[in-house]
Amino acid sequence: MKPAKAPKVTIRDVATASGVHFSTVSRALDPARRKRISKEVLELVEETARRLGYQPNRAASALRTGRTHTIGVLVPDITNPVFPPILQGIEASAAARGYFVFVANVGDPQLARPILARMQAQQIDGLVMAIALRDDPLIDFVRDNGLHAVMVNRADESGRLPAAVSDDRLAMKLAVDHLAALGHRRIAHLAGPQNVPTGVGRRQGVEQAMHDHRMKPPRVVECESYSREAGQQAMRTLLASGPRPEAVVCCNDLVALGAYDVLREAGLRVPEDISVTGHNDMPLVDMVDPPLTTIRLPHRELGWRAAEMLFDEIEGKSLSASTVVLRPELVVRASTAARNAS
Amino acid sequence: MKPAKAPKVTIRDVATASGVHFSTVSRALDPARRKRISKEVLELVEETARRLGYQPNRAASALRTGRTHTIGVLVPDITNPVFPPILQGIEASAAARGYFVFVANVGDPQLARPILARMQAQQIDGLVMAIALRDDPLIDFVRDNGLHAVMVNRADESGRLPAAVSDDRLAMKLAVDHLAALGHRRIAHLAGPQNVPTGVGRRQGVEQAMHDHRMKPPRVVECESYSREAGQQAMRTLLASGPRPEAVVCCNDLVALGAYDVLREAGLRVPEDISVTGHNDMPLVDMVDPPLTTIRLPHRELGWRAAEMLFDEIEGKSLSASTVVLRPELVVRASTAARNAS
DNA sequence: GTGAAAGCGCTAACAG
DNA sequence: CTGTTAGCGCTTTCAC
């Protein structure tokens, strides 16, 4: 029968039980210093530690060393399906390197500062930010506090912080190239919020790609957010404000689905009357009607790479690239069709 | 211009700056003990603390008090869309009560123990478990270690741990009642893994409800997991092994979508040839073809309630119910139709 | 109401 | 190679 409560065995208990000084135990149990211990003592200590069920107290170690093996992650909305794979990547890297991850959902940007303050009180070793507006003062705040930090998914354009991102311009080029190959010329863009780096990058990607194809500049409607509702609203605005485009490139999948809603209301068929593309390849967009042509991102790897960069920096082996740009990939499904299909 | 690195101001700095003893500062800054401090001193201390940008060091406090204001959450797969809202609920409650949340993705059940050990080393105050098989030894382990813990989403049948769950039997009754009202009698069930509490509960719910309607017991095929692939496989088995049912009640949405895949392959139409129901109402199942009739769960509230129970227990005000059962809700869409529709 | 002193469990000089 | 010693920043007696 086991004891009712964990009896908290400390380094001293292990020491007396194995007849050595407690600092010897401390050394023996630290991979970095264990080599300076004689083989016999080392084995003895390890054995008794195991037998007694010793668990190091990280709080004590943290107080002494200033390192908690803990990082914070700031996400805007964990229910947005792009973030779970990113988090998974971060967490996998953290687990592999002996860190733990505090996840905070920063619904309202106003909350970022207080949350960050509390995280600092918890003595986090570093921070992964999946939030941040363009020129966000938060970035300066983080740097001024000497906090190790990296960004993921969204990059800070000024490069003040290392980042792991997908190539937004390439992503949109892939979409436009695909539509161009299908014969479309009048392409519109439902753009993301222009105060967010990805919103700008993707819009520029569309514009650049269309320019390269010698098309007229796209009609652009900015969405208020990356949501289905915002997509509906933007699509309504687009339909109301001019001739119907042949295709519409959307800043993300949710916006594309919002566009679907409005097009259906308006009696327009996708892709016969109008082609639609998304971005993210979130789960189930292959099951919607019609299956959505979109851009797939290596979300999990984005998270993994961001975390690796952060840990390297924390541990002082900061050789890693300052910005990692990963390649997105076009996934063709049934929401795009050749122009003369109608 | 701000200092390059945070100069870590401590309680002593605040003390000398305000000309009092550091223990007075400690008292003044603790809501629970601040009342014993004279008004003038209190205000002075608060003011200087603010001026110096004092941040309490939780690691020190943790070492002294044994409380870290940190909890761990074990989820099987954060990319499964049921978990993000649960996490969000947990995190919202935690933020409101001054706690932080370690999230660990326990892909392989084998990993649970080592992860838990590491969390204990980090001195977590409590644990929320969204994993656990039936009669999982992990539950005993947690209790024997005197760890405060609650379960969420999946309950331990033996009631060894408090839990916040949805009423699985009711959920399946809602589905069966709905199908019965549409005139169906030959209903099959694609069941969840029978080593998981929810798998059993839902199967029993279907069986009980059908019994109550005086129907013959359902044909049941067990899925290997709660995934689309497992749903495909189970649906294949079902079609191959007997007469075609009029309706199939699925243990969750992903399984239902797997069933869609196979029915489409087989040239069967949903709902004309066969009605299908899901469970969870995950994002976008209203956009698939046809939109899925399913059961909606209060996932966010599940997480919130679980966390609240945990914090109450940690803080010793353990008046809360031991098990909270929340009501699921039927969402009728287009994957179910009356029997004579065909 | 405030000061003094001890110590949580650990690491990191410094001796020997 | 191992023992000694001194704190990390905080809370918590115990005095006054």
Side-chain angles (χ1 to χ4, degrees):
Chain A
M1 181 177 147
K2 292 177 185 169
K5 295 272 172 184
K8 286 300 145 208
V9 22
T10 79
I11 212 174
R12 309 186 111 95
D13 299 327
V14 179
T16 51
S18 33
V20 296
H21 190 94
F22 70 88
S23 70
T24 305
V25 175
S26 173
R27 289 188 193 98
L29 265 26
D30 178 355
R33 292 173 300 157
R34 125 165 60 271
K35 51 190 65 165
R36 310 185 174 194
I37 299 286
S38 72
K39 207 169 178 179
E40 307 84 60
V41 176
L42 200 157
E43 279 169 4
L44 173 63
V45 169
E46 282 185 330
E47 163 55 22
T48 44
R50 199 176 314 113
R51 184 163 50 79
L52 269 46
Y54 169 72
Q55 293 275 43
N57 182 332
R58 289 277 203 185
S61 155
L63 178 57
R64 182 68 233 244
T65 63
R67 306 248 292 91
T68 50
H69 295 270
T70 280
I71 63 168
V73 178
L74 266 26
V75 291
D77 175 13
I78 198 183
T79 62
N80 178 333
V82 310
F83 294 111
I86 292 179
L87 266 180
Q88 205 179 39
I90 295 173
E91 206 259 319
S93 163
R97 298 185 60 156
Y99 285 78
F100 272 111
V101 178
F102 286 132
V103 178
N105 209 83
V106 185
D108 177 356
Q110 300 271 311
L111 265 47
R113 291 294 260 275
I115 289 175
L116 197 53
R118 288 187 48 230
M119 281 189 167
Q120 287 194 279
Q122 289 280 6
Q123 310 293 111
I124 52 166
D125 290 339
L127 186 67
V128 177
M129 294 204 291
I131 59 171
L133 308 174
R134 295 177 67 198
D135 302 317
D136 200 319
L138 198 62
I139 296 175
D140 284 322
F141 178 78
V142 164
R143 294 205 344 154
D144 290 345
N145 277 32
L147 205 44
H148 296 298
V150 304
M151 305 196 58
V152 68
N153 195 41
R154 303 178 182 180
D156 165 48
E157 286 142 331
S158 63
R160 283 168 293 178
L161 249 32
V165 295
S166 161
D167 189 335
D168 281 323
R169 285 177 181 73
L170 173 57
M172 293 297 102
K173 175 172 157 51
L174 293 174
V176 171
D177 286 356
H178 168 63
L179 292 169
L182 291 170
H184 298 296
R185 308 280 308 165
R186 291 213 319 279
I187 300 174
H189 179 44
L190 299 190
Q194 295 296 298
N195 61 345
V196 176
T198 52
V200 177
R202 291 180 202 161
R203 176 177 55 72
Q204 292 175 342
V206 172
E207 288 167 348
Q208 181 64 49
M210 289 180 67
H211 182 261
D212 293 348
H213 282 284
R214 310 257 146 86
M215 298 170 179
K216 282 191 300 189
R219 281 170 58 211
V220 175
V221 180
E222 178 180 347
C223 300
E224 283 209 337
S225 68
Y226 279 120
S227 67
R228 187 162 156 189
E229 291 68 31
Q232 291 168 353
Q233 203 179 325
M235 191 69 218
R236 266 192 212 103
T237 308
L238 182 68
L239 286 182
S241 71
R244 191 170 89 214
E246 297 159 4
V248 44
V249 172
C250 301
C251 55
N252 86 347
D253 291 343
L254 287 173
V255 165
L257 295 178
Y260 271 29
D261 294 332
V262 171
L263 290 169
R264 183 169 301 137
E265 277 171 28
L268 293 169
R269 293 161 306 161
V270 178
E272 292 84 352
D273 298 321
I274 187 166
S275 287
V276 175
T277 70
H279 181 286
N280 282 353
D281 192 27
M282 52 183 269
L284 265 48
V285 292
D286 59 326
M287 295 285 295
V288 303
D289 179 26
L292 183 66
T293 294
T294 187
I295 308 291
R296 178 178 300 159
L297 267 57
H299 281 121
R300 196 172 186 285
E301 187 173 2
L302 242 27
W304 174 279
R305 297 289 282 273
E308 289 288 313
M309 291 191 335
L310 181 59
F311 297 138
D312 283 347
E313 198 183 300
I314 289 171
E315 291 164 9
K317 34 183 157 172
S318 189
L319 336 153
S320 34
S322 161
T323 295
V324 173
V325 180
L326 265 29
R327 288 185 71 83
E329 173 190 358
L330 178 71
V331 181
V332 177
R333 289 196 274 252
S335 67
T336 47
R339 187 181 174 209
N340 36 11
S342 61
Chain B
M1 182 178 148
K2 292 178 185 172
K5 296 270 172 183
K8 286 298 146 210
V9 20
T10 78
I11 213 173
R12 309 185 110 95
D13 299 327
V14 179
T16 51
S18 32
V20 297
H21 189 97
F22 69 87
S23 68
T24 306
V25 175
S26 174
R27 290 189 192 97
L29 264 27
D30 178 356
R33 291 174 302 158
R34 101 154 94 266
K35 51 190 66 167
R36 310 185 175 197
I37 299 287
S38 71
K39 207 169 181 180
E40 307 84 59
V41 176
L42 200 156
E43 278 169 5
L44 172 64
V45 169
E46 281 185 331
E47 163 55 20
T48 44
R50 199 176 313 113
R51 184 162 50 78
L52 268 47
Y54 169 73
Q55 292 277 45
N57 182 332
R58 289 278 203 183
S61 152
L63 179 56
R64 183 65 234 241
T65 63
R67 306 246 294 91
T68 51
H69 294 270
T70 280
I71 63 168
V73 179
L74 265 27
V75 290
D77 176 12
I78 197 182
T79 62
N80 178 334
V82 311
F83 294 111
I86 291 179
L87 267 180
Q88 204 179 40
I90 294 173
E91 205 259 320
S93 162
R97 297 184 61 156
Y99 284 78
F100 272 111
V101 178
F102 287 132
V103 180
N105 209 79
V106 185
D108 177 355
Q110 299 271 309
L111 266 49
R113 292 291 263 275
I115 290 175
L116 198 52
R118 288 188 48 232
M119 281 188 166
Q120 288 194 279
Q122 290 280 6
Q123 310 293 113
I124 52 165
D125 290 339
L127 186 68
V128 178
M129 295 204 290
I131 59 171
L133 307 174
R134 294 177 66 198
D135 302 318
D136 199 320
L138 198 63
I139 296 175
D140 285 322
F141 178 78
V142 163
R143 294 206 343 156
D144 290 345
N145 277 32
L147 205 46
H148 295 297
V150 305
M151 304 196 59
V152 68
N153 196 40
R154 302 178 183 180
D156 165 48
E157 287 142 329
S158 64
R160 283 167 294 178
L161 248 33
V165 295
S166 159
D167 189 334
D168 280 323
R169 286 176 180 73
L170 173 57
M172 293 296 102
K173 176 174 157 51
L174 293 174
V176 171
D177 286 356
H178 167 64
L179 292 170
L182 291 171
H184 298 295
R185 308 279 308 167
R186 289 210 322 277
I187 300 174
H189 179 44
L190 299 189
Q194 296 295 299
N195 61 344
V196 176
T198 52
V200 177
R202 291 179 202 161
R203 176 178 54 72
Q204 292 175 343
V206 173
E207 288 168 348
Q208 181 65 50
M210 289 181 67
H211 181 262
D212 292 348
H213 281 285
R214 311 259 143 88
M215 299 171 180
K216 280 191 302 189
R219 280 170 60 211
V220 175
V221 180
E222 178 180 346
C223 300
E224 282 209 336
S225 68
Y226 279 119
S227 68
R228 187 159 155 192
E229 291 69 32
Q232 291 168 354
Q233 203 180 324
M235 191 70 216
R236 268 193 210 101
T237 308
L238 183 67
L239 285 182
S241 70
R244 191 170 89 212
E246 297 160 2
V248 43
V249 172
C250 300
C251 56
N252 86 347
D253 291 343
L254 287 173
V255 165
L257 295 178
Y260 271 29
D261 295 332
V262 171
L263 290 169
R264 184 169 300 137
E265 277 171 30
L268 293 169
R269 293 162 304 163
V270 177
E272 292 83 352
D273 298 321
I274 187 166
S275 288
V276 174
T277 70
H279 182 285
N280 282 355
D281 193 26
M282 51 182 268
L284 265 46
V285 292
D286 59 326
M287 296 283 296
V288 303
D289 179 27
L292 183 66
T293 294
T294 188
I295 307 290
R296 178 178 299 159
L297 267 58
H299 282 120
R300 196 171 186 287
E301 187 175 359
L302 241 29
W304 173 279
R305 296 289 282 271
E308 289 288 312
M309 289 188 344
L310 180 59
F311 297 138
D312 284 347
E313 197 182 300
I314 290 170
E315 291 165 8
K317 34 183 159 172
S318 189
L319 337 154
S320 33
S322 160
T323 295
V324 173
V325 180
L326 265 31
R327 288 184 73 82
E329 174 190 358
L330 177 71
V331 181
V332 176
R333 288 196 275 252
S335 67
T336 47
R339 187 181 175 208
N340 35 11
S342 60

